[in-house]
Amino acid sequence: MTTIRLDNPQDTVAPTRGDSSWYTHDRFGMFIHWGLYSLGARHEWMRSREFLSNEQYETYFKRFDPDLYDPGLWAQLASDAGMKYMVATAKHHEGFCLWDSQLTEYKATRTPAGRDVLRPMLDAFRERGLRTGLYYSLLDWHHPHYTVDVKHPQRYDAEFAAQSRERDWHRYVDYLHGQTKELLTGYGPIDLMFFDFSIPAEEGFAGKGKDEWQSERLVETIRSPRPDILLNDRLQIPGDITTPEQYQPREWIQVNGRRVVWEACHTFSGSWGYYRDEESWKSVDTLVKMLIDTVAKGGNLLLNVGPNGRGEIDERAVDRLKGIGAWMRLHSRSIYGCTAAPESLYCPPDCRYTFHPEKKRLYIHLFSWPFKHLHLYGFAGLAEYAQLLNDASEIRMLEGEREMTMEAGAFNEGRKAGTLTLQLPVKKPAACVPVIELFLK
Ligand code: GLC
């Protein structure tokens, strides 16, 4: 008989101040990077990379006119892909504001768009039942009192550096805190704030971190009216959510030796903003595997779209979202409400497990389809029933020790005591990643 314990792995996670229960259930969200850089269409960091001045960058401000913008369509695409929340850039490093901020004129309402483009986005996603989060850049390359640092477009401009010394940093801090309040009071129930990011000291420039942003005070201003809100970890003080970017962690992320709530954020193609000529687009197959791999390690996936200057999510992204949605339609049961499997369970090569602790179901994701048998060592006595998730067709199970035989006509690879063998169809089911649902006792 087995002695494997099926404790709930979520119970090992360090508690969060904000309410992470909906978040660790929903697992999958859409990141949206949209701003003036969408017109340059060559990376959201283009202003810094090309050392562009305010005047040079003004050309995009004058032409921001998303005539095809239909946030209902964006929300529908996200929902059809199985995403349950969104995080949109209210302001990215360039400083441009998508909403009608009372604290600046550098906003969508003053461009040819002539309107607040953030509010209808939040409304559209909420209407379709998605939670809403906002990304807010701590960096600001446009604000007149934001001082020069190693990331700033004018960092090598001596004149600018000299002027920078005259800047009144406190006015920027007031702006950053004021805008945060504006967003949290005027834009409905924001579930999550994603601040980005703290800058290390480098190349002789001082860094910017918790003292510069006044992070602790900022967090308290946010939390006192909104104790449940989720905050990320880039204010140089611990947050609710740890946010690795553009890589897959090897295992459940730990902070100070404890498992934490975490979220991998990824792009489809490398840059976050719309990049016309980028060719490194990930396949649906890769993206679905990234989602599974993330949940198998107890994390969330925030997958980014960079809408273009006309306000459209381009064909390449739509294609991926639809592909993920096709997989999610049949397999989302292995994602929602799931987490990593108990560590005591043996996992075969090329497989990822997710686990639904309340339902006691183990989801076996087969990244590579094996020939006929999947041997689960130590699983004998654990499972009641097995089926393919895509069509609920039974997967027959074999248990019991069996000797290996090599006589002609009686080939049999045998089975060790304690092993559960699943008998798979030879033909891989029509899903980029097939899933076996194992009902545990
Ligand atoms: C970064 C980048 C950025 C992107 C973000 C997403 O730190 O500066 O352009 O918005 O991370 O996590």
Side-chain angles (χ1 to χ4, degrees), residues 77-321:
L77 275 170
S79 169
D80 291 347
M83 293 159 161
K84 294 284 190 191
Y85 62 101
M86 60 89 100
V87 180
T89 53
K91 178 190 93 167
H92 203 260
H93 308 333
E94 63 181 5
F96 177 67
C97 300
L98 296 184
W99 80 102
D100 189 15
S101 173
Q102 298 311 297
L103 304 174
T104 182
E105 295 300 308
Y106 201 51
K107 56 183 175 182
T109 36
R110 294 280 181 262
T111 65
R115 62 195 191 280
D116 180 326
V117 291
L118 184 63
R119 189 183 297 285
M121 200 192 305
L122 298 172
D123 289 345
F125 279 80
R126 286 185 191 128
E127 258 167 48
R128 281 159 188 79
L130 280 84
R131 301 255 187 175
T132 51
L134 294 176
Y135 168 109
Y136 183 92
S137 172
L138 299 164
L139 282 66
D140 194 312
W141 299 330
H142 184 271
H143 193 276
H145 291 286
Y146 186 90
T147 53
V148 72
D149 58 44
V150 70
K151 306 293 183 192
H152 198 282
Q154 266 76 62
R155 59 196 173 279
Y156 303 127
D157 176 340
E159 205 181 315
F160 186 88
Q163 283 168 12
S164 185
R165 282 190 279 278
E166 308 300 314
R167 292 186 163 207
D168 182 356
W169 177 252
H170 290 106
R171 291 181 64 178
Y172 178 67
V173 176
D174 286 349
Y175 179 75
L176 138 69
H177 287 227
Q179 285 204 319
T180 303
K181 264 190 225 154
E182 225 177 42
L183 290 168
L184 289 176
T185 48
Y187 285 81
I190 303 293
D191 300 289
L192 184 160
M193 282 299 291
F194 193 118
F195 289 99
D196 195 35
F197 59 96
S198 294
I199 309 171
E202 224 180 295
E203 286 185 34
F205 291 100
K208 287 190 173 111
K210 61 178 182 335
D211 295 336
E212 286 69 26
W213 319 125
Q214 299 196 18
S215 300
E216 266 148 28
R217 187 165 65 84
L218 182 64
V219 166
E220 290 320 310
T221 345
I222 298 169
R223 288 232 194 258
S224 55
R226 296 291 320 279
D228 285 348
I229 201 166
L230 288 177
L231 300 176
N232 74 331
D233 61 336
R234 299 187 184 179
L235 282 160
Q236 213 187 40
I237 55 174
D240 301 307
I241 312 168
T242 303
T243 56
E245 178 178 323
Q246 306 262 38
Y247 72 92
Q248 284 300 104
R250 280 181 296 110
E251 54 186 19
W252 197 318
I253 294 201
Q254 302 199 358
V255 174
N256 301 324
R258 272 199 89 173
R259 286 175 166 186
V260 292
V261 173
W262 67 273
E263 175 191 72
C265 51
H266 281 283
T267 59
F268 283 128
S269 64
S271 70
W272 301 87
Y274 178 64
Y275 198 137
R276 184 190 55 210
D277 302 333
E278 204 160 45
E279 291 297 341
S280 48
W281 281 69
K282 299 174 186 75
S283 65
V284 169
D285 186 82
T286 299
L287 294 160
V288 166
K289 286 175 177 163
M290 285 161 66
L291 172 61
I292 296 163
D293 185 66
T294 302
V295 180
K297 292 165 182 162
N300 280 35
L301 177 67
L302 187 62
L303 200 52
N304 179 74
V305 296
N308 64 26
R310 295 198 70 183
E312 282 208 313
I313 297 180
D314 77 291
E315 272 313 308
R316 297 167 294 185
V318 169
D319 172 72
R320 269 69 178 181
L321 289 168

Side-chain angles (χ1 to χ4, degrees), residues 377-380 400-402 415-420:
Y377 303 125
F379 270 61
E401 191 167 8
R402 194 168 173 201
R415 192 168 41 251
K416 286 190 210 145
T419 299
L420 169 69

